[in-house]
Amino acid sequence: MTVSGGQVLPDPAHRAPGRGAHLHPVAECLELAERRKAFPRAFRVPGPLELELVREHVAQRSNEAVQSQ
């Protein structure tokens, strides 16, 4: 994941420039990171960040995992 313009963006290829952060693509890890306000600290930026695209990415990965079983 990377951050751009106050929005956290999924970066599954780990190729985006700038500071990155890792998150297990499961809802529980995302919820915990949100509760702990981990994203602003990880990216070293002030204030809250928009997480909608990351939520969608995690949901998609969860659906893919369920379908492959």
Side-chain angles (χ1 to χ4, degrees):
M1 290 183 296
T2 61
V3 67
S4 178
Q7 189 169 27
V8 180
L9 306 171
D11 181 24
H14 308 285
R15 299 285 182 219
R19 186 168 184 83
H22 176 77
L23 176 75
H24 291 112
V26 294
E28 293 82 9
C29 290
L30 176 58
E31 291 168 7
L32 182 61
E34 286 184 79
R35 278 197 316 264
R36 292 183 175 181
K37 299 178 179 21
F39 293 109
R41 285 195 320 270
F43 294 117
R44 297 181 184 170
V45 296
L49 297 171
E50 175 58 46
L51 299 172
E52 188 59 35
L53 293 175
V54 172
R55 286 186 194 105
E56 291 173 9
H57 177 72
V58 168
Q60 179 183 6
R61 293 285 304 265
S62 295
N63 289 339
E64 290 171 0
V66 168
Q67 290 176 359
S68 68
Q69 291 181 354

Coordinates of all heavy atoms in Angstrom, one line a residue:
M1 N 0.8 -1.2 0.0 CA 0.0 0.0 0.0 C 0.9 1.2 0.0 O 2.0 1.2 0.5 CB -0.9 0.0 1.2 CG -1.9 -1.0 1.3 SD -3.0 -0.9 2.7 CE -1.8 -1.2 4.0
T2 N 0.3 2.2 -0.6 CA 1.0 3.5 -0.6 C -0.1 4.6 -0.3 O -1.2 4.3 -0.2 CB 1.7 3.9 -2.0 OG1 0.7 3.9 -3.0 CG2 2.7 2.9 -2.3
V3 N 0.4 5.8 -0.1 CA -0.5 6.9 0.1 C -0.3 8.0 -0.9 O 0.8 8.3 -1.3 CB -0.4 7.4 1.6 CG1 0.9 8.1 1.8 CG2 -1.6 8.3 1.9
S4 N -1.4 8.6 -1.4 CA -1.4 9.7 -2.3 C -2.6 10.6 -2.1 O -3.7 10.1 -2.2 CB -1.4 9.1 -3.8 OG -1.3 10.2 -4.7
G5 N -2.3 11.8 -1.9 CA -3.4 12.8 -1.7 C -4.4 12.5 -0.6 O -5.6 12.7 -0.7
G6 N -3.9 11.9 0.5 CA -4.7 11.6 1.6 C -5.5 10.3 1.5 O -6.4 10.0 2.2
Q7 N -5.2 9.5 0.5 CA -5.9 8.3 0.2 C -4.9 7.1 0.2 O -3.9 7.2 -0.5 CB -6.6 8.4 -1.1 CG -7.6 7.2 -1.4 CD -8.4 7.5 -2.6 OE1 -8.1 8.3 -3.5 NE2 -9.6 6.9 -2.6
V8 N -5.2 6.1 0.9 CA -4.4 4.9 0.9 C -4.7 4.0 -0.3 O -5.9 3.7 -0.5 CB -4.6 4.0 2.2 CG1 -3.7 2.8 2.2 CG2 -4.2 4.9 3.4
L9 N -3.7 3.7 -1.1 CA -3.9 2.9 -2.3 C -3.3 1.5 -2.2 O -2.2 1.4 -1.8 CB -3.3 3.7 -3.5 CG -3.7 5.2 -3.6 CD1 -2.8 5.8 -4.7 CD2 -5.2 5.2 -4.0
P10 N -4.1 0.5 -2.7 CA -3.5 -0.8 -2.7 C -2.3 -0.8 -3.8 O -2.4 -0.1 -4.8 CB -4.6 -1.7 -3.2 CG -5.8 -0.9 -3.1 CD -5.4 0.6 -3.1
D11 N -1.3 -1.6 -3.5 CA -0.2 -1.7 -4.4 C 0.3 -3.2 -4.4 O 1.3 -3.5 -3.8 CB 1.0 -0.8 -3.9 CG 2.2 -0.9 -4.8 OD1 2.0 -1.2 -6.0 OD2 3.3 -0.6 -4.3
P12 N -0.5 -4.1 -4.9 CA -0.2 -5.5 -4.9 C 1.1 -5.9 -5.5 O 1.7 -6.9 -5.2 CB -1.4 -6.2 -5.6 CG -2.1 -5.1 -6.3 CD -1.8 -3.8 -5.7
A13 N 1.5 -5.1 -6.5 CA 2.8 -5.4 -7.2 C 4.0 -4.8 -6.4 O 5.2 -5.1 -6.8 CB 2.8 -4.9 -8.6
H14 N 3.8 -4.0 -5.4 CA 4.8 -3.4 -4.6 C 5.8 -2.6 -5.5 O 7.0 -2.7 -5.3 CB 5.6 -4.5 -3.8 CG 4.8 -5.4 -3.0 ND1 4.2 -5.0 -1.8 CD2 4.4 -6.7 -3.2 CE1 3.5 -6.0 -1.4 NE2 3.6 -7.0 -2.2
R15 N 5.2 -1.9 -6.4 CA 6.1 -1.1 -7.3 C 5.8 0.4 -7.3 O 6.5 1.2 -7.9 CB 5.8 -1.5 -8.8 CG 6.1 -3.0 -9.0 CD 7.6 -3.2 -9.1 NE 7.8 -4.6 -9.4 CZ 8.8 -5.2 -8.9 NH1 9.7 -4.6 -8.1 NH2 9.0 -6.5 -9.2
A16 N 4.9 0.9 -6.5 CA 4.6 2.3 -6.4 C 5.7 3.0 -5.7 O 6.3 2.5 -4.8 CB 3.3 2.5 -5.7
P17 N 6.0 4.3 -6.2 CA 7.0 5.0 -5.6 C 6.6 5.5 -4.2 O 5.4 5.6 -3.9 CB 7.3 6.2 -6.5 CG 5.9 6.4 -7.2 CD 5.4 5.0 -7.3
G18 N 7.6 5.9 -3.4 CA 7.3 6.4 -2.1 C 7.3 5.4 -1.0 O 7.6 4.2 -1.2
R19 N 6.9 5.9 0.2 CA 6.8 5.0 1.4 C 5.7 4.0 1.3 O 4.6 4.4 0.9 CB 6.7 5.9 2.6 CG 6.8 5.1 3.9 CD 6.9 6.1 5.1 NE 7.1 5.4 6.3 CZ 8.3 4.9 6.7 NH1 9.4 5.2 6.0 NH2 8.4 4.3 7.8
G20 N 5.9 2.8 1.6 CA 4.9 1.7 1.5 C 4.6 1.1 2.9 O 5.4 1.4 3.8
A21 N 3.6 0.4 2.9 CA 3.2 -0.3 4.2 C 2.6 -1.7 3.8 O 2.0 -1.8 2.7 CB 2.2 0.5 5.0
H22 N 2.8 -2.6 4.7 CA 2.2 -4.0 4.4 C 1.0 -4.2 5.3 O 1.0 -3.8 6.4 CB 3.3 -5.0 4.7 CG 2.8 -6.4 4.6 ND1 2.6 -7.0 3.3 CD2 2.3 -7.3 5.5 CE1 2.1 -8.2 3.5 NE2 1.9 -8.4 4.8
L23 N 0.0 -4.9 4.7 CA -1.2 -5.3 5.5 C -1.6 -6.6 5.0 O -1.7 -6.8 3.8 CB -2.3 -4.3 5.3 CG -3.6 -4.6 5.9 CD1 -3.6 -4.3 7.4 CD2 -4.7 -3.8 5.3
H24 N -1.8 -7.6 5.9 CA -2.4 -8.9 5.5 C -3.8 -8.6 4.8 O -4.6 -7.8 5.4 CB -2.6 -9.8 6.6 CG -1.3 -10.3 7.2 ND1 -0.9 -9.9 8.5 CD2 -0.3 -11.0 6.7 CE1 0.3 -10.4 8.7 NE2 0.7 -11.1 7.6
P25 N -4.1 -9.1 3.7 CA -5.3 -8.8 3.0 C -6.5 -9.5 3.6 O -7.3 -10.2 2.9 CB -5.1 -9.2 1.6 CG -4.1 -10.3 1.7 CD -3.2 -10.0 2.9
V26 N -6.7 -9.3 4.9 CA -7.9 -9.9 5.6 C -8.6 -8.8 6.4 O -7.9 -7.9 6.9 CB -7.5 -11.1 6.5 CG1 -7.1 -12.3 5.7 CG2 -6.5 -10.7 7.5
A27 N -9.9 -8.9 6.5 CA -10.7 -7.8 7.1 C -10.3 -7.6 8.5 O -10.2 -6.4 9.0 CB -12.2 -8.2 7.1
E28 N -9.9 -8.6 9.3 CA -9.5 -8.4 10.7 C -8.3 -7.6 10.8 O -8.2 -6.7 11.7 CB -9.3 -9.8 11.4 CG -10.5 -10.6 11.5 CD -10.9 -11.4 10.2 OE1 -10.1 -11.4 9.3 OE2 -12.0 -12.0 10.2
C29 N -7.3 -7.8 10.0 CA -6.1 -7.0 10.0 C -6.4 -5.5 9.7 O -5.8 -4.6 10.3 CB -5.0 -7.5 9.1 SG -4.4 -9.1 9.7
L30 N -7.2 -5.3 8.7 CA -7.6 -3.9 8.3 C -8.3 -3.2 9.4 O -8.0 -2.1 9.7 CB -8.4 -4.0 7.0 CG -9.0 -2.6 6.5 CD1 -7.8 -1.7 6.3 CD2 -9.8 -2.8 5.3
E31 N -9.3 -3.9 10.0 CA -10.0 -3.3 11.2 C -9.1 -3.0 12.3 O -9.2 -1.9 12.9 CB -11.1 -4.3 11.6 CG -12.2 -4.4 10.6 CD -13.1 -5.6 10.9 OE1 -13.0 -6.2 12.0 OE2 -14.0 -5.9 10.1
L32 N -8.1 -3.8 12.6 CA -7.2 -3.6 13.7 C -6.3 -2.4 13.4 O -6.1 -1.5 14.2 CB -6.3 -4.8 14.0 CG -5.3 -4.7 15.1 CD1 -6.0 -4.4 16.4 CD2 -4.5 -6.0 15.2
A33 N -5.8 -2.3 12.2 CA -5.0 -1.2 11.7 C -5.8 0.1 11.8 O -5.3 1.2 12.2 CB -4.5 -1.4 10.3
E34 N -7.1 0.1 11.4 CA -7.9 1.3 11.5 C -8.1 1.7 13.0 O -7.9 2.9 13.3 CB -9.3 1.1 10.9 CG -9.2 1.0 9.4 CD -10.6 0.9 8.8 OE1 -11.3 1.9 8.8 OE2 -11.0 -0.2 8.5
R35 N -8.4 0.8 13.9 CA -8.6 1.1 15.3 C -7.4 1.7 15.9 O -7.4 2.6 16.7 CB -9.0 -0.2 16.1 CG -10.5 -0.5 16.0 CD -10.9 -1.5 17.1 NE -10.0 -2.6 17.3 CZ -10.1 -3.8 16.7 NH1 -11.1 -4.1 15.9 NH2 -9.2 -4.7 17.0
R36 N -6.2 1.2 15.5 CA -4.9 1.6 16.1 C -4.4 2.9 15.4 O -3.3 3.4 15.8 CB -3.9 0.5 16.0 CG -4.2 -0.6 16.9 CD -3.1 -1.6 16.9 NE -3.4 -2.7 17.8 CZ -2.6 -3.7 18.0 NH1 -1.5 -3.8 17.2 NH2 -2.8 -4.7 18.8
K37 N -5.1 3.4 14.4 CA -4.7 4.5 13.6 C -3.3 4.3 13.1 O -2.4 5.2 13.2 CB -4.8 5.8 14.4 CG -6.2 6.1 14.9 CD -6.2 7.4 15.7 CE -7.6 7.8 16.2 NZ -8.7 7.0 16.3
A38 N -3.0 3.1 12.6 CA -1.7 2.7 12.1 C -1.3 3.4 10.8 O -0.1 3.5 10.5 CB -1.6 1.2 12.0
F39 N -2.2 3.7 9.9 CA -1.9 4.1 8.6 C -1.2 5.5 8.6 O -0.1 5.6 8.0 CB -3.1 4.2 7.7 CG -3.6 2.8 7.4 CD1 -4.8 2.3 7.9 CD2 -2.8 1.9 6.6 CE1 -5.2 1.1 7.6 CE2 -3.3 0.7 6.3 CZ -4.5 0.2 6.8
P40 N -1.7 6.5 9.3 CA -0.9 7.8 9.3 C 0.5 7.6 9.9 O 1.5 8.2 9.4 CB -1.8 8.7 10.2 CG -3.1 8.1 10.1 CD -3.0 6.6 10.0
R41 N 0.6 6.7 10.9 CA 2.0 6.5 11.5 C 2.9 5.8 10.5 O 4.0 6.1 10.3 CB 1.9 5.7 12.8 CG 1.4 6.5 14.0 CD 1.7 5.7 15.3 NE 1.4 4.3 15.2 CZ 0.3 3.7 15.5 NH1 -0.8 4.4 15.8 NH2 0.2 2.4 15.5
A42 N 2.3 4.8 9.8 CA 3.2 4.0 8.9 C 3.6 4.9 7.7 O 4.8 4.7 7.3 CB 2.4 2.8 8.3
F43 N 2.8 5.7 7.3 CA 3.1 6.6 6.1 C 3.8 7.9 6.5 O 4.2 8.7 5.7 CB 1.9 6.9 5.2 CG 1.4 5.6 4.6 CD1 0.1 5.1 4.8 CD2 2.2 4.9 3.7 CE1 -0.3 4.0 4.2 CE2 1.7 3.8 3.0 CZ 0.5 3.3 3.3
R44 N 3.8 8.2 7.8 CA 4.3 9.4 8.4 C 3.7 10.6 7.8 O 4.3 11.6 7.3 CB 5.8 9.5 8.2 CG 6.5 8.4 9.0 CD 8.0 8.4 8.8 NE 8.6 7.3 9.5 CZ 9.9 7.0 9.3 NH1 10.7 7.7 8.6 NH2 10.4 5.9 10.0
V45 N 2.3 10.6 7.8 CA 1.5 11.8 7.3 C 0.5 12.1 8.4 O 0.1 11.3 9.2 CB 0.8 11.4 6.0 CG1 1.8 11.2 4.9 CG2 -0.1 10.3 6.2
P46 N 0.2 13.4 8.5 CA -0.8 13.8 9.5 C -2.2 13.5 9.1 O -2.6 13.3 7.9 CB -0.6 15.3 9.5 CG -0.2 15.7 8.1 CD 0.7 14.5 7.7
G47 N -3.1 13.4 10.1 CA -4.5 13.3 9.9 C -5.0 12.0 9.5 O -4.3 11.1 9.1
P48 N -6.3 11.9 9.4 CA -7.0 10.6 8.9 C -6.8 10.4 7.4 O -6.6 11.4 6.7 CB -8.4 10.8 9.2 CG -8.6 12.3 9.3 CD -7.3 12.9 9.7
L49 N -6.8 9.2 7.0 CA -6.6 8.9 5.6 C -7.8 8.1 5.1 O -8.5 7.4 5.8 CB -5.4 8.0 5.4 CG -4.0 8.6 5.7 CD1 -2.9 7.6 5.7 CD2 -3.7 9.8 4.8
E50 N -8.2 8.3 3.8 CA -9.3 7.6 3.2 C -8.9 6.2 2.9 O -7.8 6.0 2.2 CB -9.7 8.3 1.9 CG -10.8 7.6 1.1 CD -12.1 7.4 1.9 OE1 -12.5 8.4 2.6 OE2 -12.6 6.3 1.9
L51 N -9.7 5.2 3.3 CA -9.3 3.8 3.2 C -10.2 3.0 2.2 O -10.2 1.8 2.2 CB -9.3 3.1 4.5 CG -8.3 3.7 5.5 CD1 -8.5 3.1 6.9 CD2 -6.9 3.4 5.1
E52 N -11.1 3.7 1.5 CA -12.1 3.0 0.7 C -11.5 2.0 -0.3 O -12.0 0.9 -0.4 CB -13.1 4.0 0.0 CG -14.2 3.3 -0.6 CD -15.1 2.5 0.3 OE1 -15.3 2.9 1.5 OE2 -15.6 1.5 -0.1
L53 N -10.5 2.4 -1.0 CA -9.9 1.5 -2.0 C -9.2 0.3 -1.4 O -9.2 -0.8 -1.9 CB -8.9 2.3 -2.9 CG -9.5 3.4 -3.8 CD1 -8.4 4.2 -4.5 CD2 -10.5 2.8 -4.8
V54 N -8.7 0.5 -0.2 CA -8.0 -0.6 0.5 C -9.1 -1.6 1.0 O -9.0 -2.8 0.9 CB -7.2 -0.1 1.7 CG1 -6.7 -1.3 2.5 CG2 -6.0 0.7 1.2
R55 N -10.2 -1.0 1.5 CA -11.3 -1.9 1.9 C -11.8 -2.8 0.7 O -12.1 -4.0 0.9 CB -12.5 -1.1 2.5 CG -12.2 -0.5 3.8 CD -13.5 0.2 4.4 NE -13.1 1.0 5.5 CZ -13.0 2.3 5.5 NH1 -13.3 3.0 4.4 NH2 -12.7 3.0 6.6
E56 N -12.0 -2.1 -0.4 CA -12.4 -2.9 -1.6 C -11.4 -3.9 -2.0 O -11.8 -5.0 -2.4 CB -12.6 -1.9 -2.8 CG -13.8 -1.0 -2.6 CD -13.9 0.1 -3.7 OE1 -13.2 0.0 -4.7 OE2 -14.7 1.0 -3.5
H57 N -10.2 -3.6 -1.9 CA -9.1 -4.6 -2.3 C -9.1 -5.8 -1.3 O -9.0 -6.9 -1.8 CB -7.7 -3.9 -2.3 CG -6.6 -4.8 -2.5 ND1 -6.3 -5.2 -3.8 CD2 -5.6 -5.3 -1.7 CE1 -5.3 -6.0 -3.8 NE2 -4.8 -6.1 -2.5
V58 N -9.2 -5.5 -0.1 CA -9.3 -6.6 0.9 C -10.5 -7.5 0.7 O -10.4 -8.7 0.7 CB -9.2 -6.0 2.4 CG1 -9.6 -7.1 3.4 CG2 -7.9 -5.4 2.6
A59 N -11.6 -6.8 0.4 CA -12.9 -7.6 0.2 C -12.7 -8.5 -1.0 O -13.1 -9.6 -1.1 CB -14.1 -6.7 0.0
Q60 N -12.1 -7.9 -2.1 CA -11.9 -8.7 -3.3 C -11.0 -9.9 -3.1 O -11.2 -11.0 -3.5 CB -11.3 -7.8 -4.4 CG -11.1 -8.5 -5.7 CD -10.4 -7.6 -6.7 OE1 -10.1 -6.4 -6.4 NE2 -10.3 -8.1 -7.9
R61 N -9.9 -9.6 -2.4 CA -8.9 -10.7 -2.1 C -9.6 -11.8 -1.2 O -9.4 -13.0 -1.4 CB -7.7 -10.2 -1.3 CG -6.8 -9.3 -2.2 CD -6.0 -10.0 -3.2 NE -5.2 -11.1 -2.6 CZ -3.9 -10.9 -2.2 NH1 -3.3 -9.8 -2.4 NH2 -3.2 -12.0 -1.7
S62 N -10.5 -11.4 -0.3 CA -11.2 -12.4 0.6 C -12.1 -13.2 -0.3 O -12.2 -14.4 -0.1 CB -12.0 -11.7 1.7 OG -11.1 -11.0 2.5
N63 N -12.8 -12.6 -1.2 CA -13.7 -13.3 -2.1 C -13.0 -14.3 -3.0 O -13.4 -15.4 -3.2 CB -14.5 -12.3 -3.0 CG -15.6 -11.6 -2.2 OD1 -16.0 -12.0 -1.1 ND2 -16.0 -10.4 -2.7
E64 N -11.8 -13.9 -3.5 CA -11.0 -14.7 -4.3 C -10.5 -16.0 -3.5 O -10.5 -17.1 -4.1 CB -9.8 -14.0 -4.9 CG -10.1 -13.0 -5.9 CD -9.0 -12.1 -6.3 OE1 -7.8 -12.3 -5.8 OE2 -9.2 -11.2 -7.1
A65 N -10.1 -15.7 -2.3 CA -9.7 -16.8 -1.4 C -10.8 -17.8 -1.2 O -10.6 -19.1 -1.2 CB -9.1 -16.3 -0.1
V66 N -12.0 -17.3 -1.0 CA -13.2 -18.2 -0.7 C -13.5 -19.0 -2.0 O -13.8 -20.2 -1.9 CB -14.4 -17.4 -0.2 CG1 -15.6 -18.2 -0.2 CG2 -14.1 -16.8 1.1
Q67 N -13.4 -18.4 -3.1 CA -13.8 -19.1 -4.4 C -12.8 -20.1 -4.8 O -13.1 -21.1 -5.4 CB -13.9 -18.0 -5.5 CG -15.1 -17.2 -5.3 CD -15.2 -16.1 -6.4 OE1 -14.3 -16.0 -7.3 NE2 -16.2 -15.3 -6.4
S68 N -11.5 -19.9 -4.4 CA -10.5 -20.9 -4.7 C -10.5 -22.1 -3.9 O -9.8 -23.1 -4.2 CB -9.1 -20.2 -4.7 OG -8.7 -19.9 -3.4
Q69 N -11.2 -22.1 -2.8 CA -11.3 -23.3 -1.9 C -12.2 -24.3 -2.3 O -13.1 -24.4 -2.9 CB -11.6 -22.8 -0.5 CG -10.5 -22.0 0.2 CD -10.9 -21.6 1.6 OE1 -12.0 -21.8 2.1 NE2 -9.9 -21.0 2.3

